[in-house]
Amino acid sequence: MADITRRLGWRHLRGAPTAHIRHHRSGKLLHDGPGLSFWFRSLTAALSEVPVDDRELAMTFHARTSDFQDVAVQATVTYRISDPALASARLDFSVDPDTGVWRGSPLEQLGTLLTETAQQHALAVLARTPLASALVDGVTAVRERIAEGLGAEPRLPATGIEVVAVRVMAIRPEPEVERALRTPAREQIQQEADKATYERRAVAVERERAIAENELDSQIELARREEQLVDQRGTNARREAEEHAAADGVRAEAEATRTVRLADAEAARSVRLARAEAEGAREVGDARAHAQAAWLRVHADVDVATLNALTGTRLAENLPNIDSVTISPDVLTGLLAKLGAGAGGGEAGA
């Protein structure tokens, strides 16, 4: 919208660089171009403002495919007004000289023209296309057909309109149909997900089985090694027992040999001792025999009285020492009786 200010009955217009201003007065063109700035009188001026920038026109319309399914088409057409003079002559781009606001709705008229033209060509394409193909390849086909149709539409150049680009964002079926179409894909995705889950579980089970087998193999190997260890320990214990037995046998043999030698030495010593004792006893006996013989030879020539005296002397020498003698009455009576009897016998003998 043009910027118009008031000054003492005059008006000043300042346009934007993207707006083409046309100023007529009394049927004569005084100003023509984008981004103009000038003074004018509102009672005699005829102003028009034509935008020359690129504009986006979003459109949504419904169509029906060859299998009688309704779809919604979302598209955008980029256009520009390439001939402002022609556009201002065909459409009402006049502005109020006091406010700068368009008197009509020229952009809405352009939008209606472009939308109806694009929709006409899109419907022609989709009417010969089944729903499945329209959803798969319909975007490209519809875009190409709309661009081709708008380029060949004679009303657009005649109005000064140039189509810059055409974009088709989506072709969507009705919600129920879309859900029905999604179901097989979802089922397939779910099946693939289930398959992936089963495969993952199978891989996990296989790995667990491999781990269990490895653990079992490890246990078997450990048991085998433990058996070898037990056998080796038994062999070592047996060898140790054999070595101890051999050592004990050697010690026993040595001890027996030593004992035998000691016994032999002791027996020899005992024999020698016995022989020495026997020899000593024989010599002592011989000495005693010689002494007795000599004693007998000595006493053979002595009379009986002398022998009795010697006997008493020897007996007295061998008697023990007597410190005191206690004679009981009974003993004394018996002794006196014996003495009396002896005395009587002696007298009778005399």
Side-chain angles (χ1 to χ4, degrees):
M1 184 178 65
D3 184 12
I4 297 177
T5 59
R6 301 178 182 183
R7 293 291 186 275
L8 301 176
W10 287 82
R11 305 290 186 271
H12 183 269
L13 183 145
R14 184 175 64 240
T18 58
H20 189 96
I21 305 298
R22 292 175 62 85
H23 176 209
H24 292 80
R25 187 178 63 187
S26 300
K28 294 181 180 180
L29 181 62
L30 299 180
H31 299 89
D32 186 15
L36 296 180
S37 178
F38 55 88
W39 292 91
F40 66 94
R41 296 183 66 87
S42 62
L43 296 178
T44 59
L47 302 175
S48 61
E49 182 182 10
V50 181
V52 293
D53 58 336
D54 291 349
R55 291 184 172 267
E56 301 284 341
L57 176 62
M59 60 184 70
T60 301
F61 53 87
H62 293 274
R64 179 169 292 182
T65 61
S66 62
D67 48 1
F68 305 101
Q69 297 296 325
D70 292 334
V71 294
V73 180
Q74 297 177 358
T76 300
V77 175
T78 304
Y79 69 96
R80 73 165 64 98
I81 300 176
S82 59
D83 192 345
L86 184 59
S88 62
R90 299 294 299 271
L91 298 174
D92 185 10
F93 283 97
S94 63
V95 297
D96 188 336
D98 292 329
T99 61
V101 178
W102 278 320
R103 296 180 184 273
S105 302
L107 295 182
E108 293 182 2
Q109 295 178 7
L110 283 178
T112 302
L113 175 61
L114 292 173
T115 300
E116 291 178 353
T117 305
Q119 183 176 0
Q120 177 183 356
H121 295 288
L123 292 177
V125 174
L126 293 175
R128 297 190 301 270
T129 306
L131 178 62
S133 299
L135 296 178
V136 176
D137 301 323
V139 172
T140 303
V142 171
R143 182 181 67 247
E144 292 177 353
R145 182 60 182 272
I146 291 176
E148 182 182 354
L150 292 176
E153 179 62 35
R155 293 180 58 189
L156 297 180
T159 314
I161 307 299
E162 179 184 357
V163 177
V164 178
V166 176
R167 298 190 303 275
V168 177
M169 277 71 72
I171 298 177
R172 302 178 64 90
E174 293 181 348
E176 296 80 4
V177 177
E178 187 174 4
R179 285 193 295 270
L181 293 174
R182 288 178 179 177
T183 301
R186 288 182 177 177
E187 292 295 333
Q188 183 177 1
I189 294 174
Q190 186 64 37
Q191 291 177 3
E192 293 178 355
D194 295 340
K195 182 179 179 181
T197 302
Y198 296 151
E199 291 179 353
R200 184 171 61 253
R201 290 180 180 176
V203 171
V205 171
E206 183 66 22
R207 290 180 178 176
E208 291 179 357
R209 186 185 63 80
I211 293 173
E213 288 182 356
N214 292 333
E215 292 179 353
L216 182 60
D217 294 339
S218 299
Q219 292 178 0
I220 293 174
E221 182 65 20
L222 290 176
R224 187 179 63 80
R225 293 186 178 182
E226 185 176 0
E227 183 179 0
Q228 293 179 355
L229 180 61
V230 171
D231 294 340
Q232 187 64 36
R233 286 179 177 175
T235 302
N236 295 337
R238 186 168 57 253
R239 290 179 180 177
E240 185 177 359
E242 291 176 356
E243 292 177 357
H244 283 305
D248 292 340
V250 172
R251 283 197 299 270
E253 184 177 357
E255 185 68 21
T257 303
R258 188 174 65 82
T259 303
V260 170
R261 290 179 179 177
L262 290 177
D264 293 341
E266 185 67 21
R269 189 174 66 82
S270 298
V271 170
R272 289 195 299 271
L273 183 59
R275 289 179 179 177
E277 289 179 354
E279 185 68 23
R282 187 171 56 253
E283 291 179 356
V284 170
D286 292 342
R288 288 181 178 177
H290 288 298
Q292 188 70 26
W295 185 80
L296 291 175
R297 283 194 302 271
V298 170
H299 288 80
D301 297 333
V302 179
D303 55 4
V304 175
T306 302
L307 292 176
N308 291 331
L310 291 173
T311 301
T313 302
R314 180 65 59 86
L315 179 63
E317 291 177 356
N318 294 325
L319 289 176
N321 294 327
I322 299 173
D323 294 332
S324 61
V325 177
T326 301
I327 301 174
S328 62
D330 296 333
V331 175
L332 183 58
T333 301
L335 182 59
L336 292 177
K338 290 180 179 182
L339 289 177
E347 290 180 359

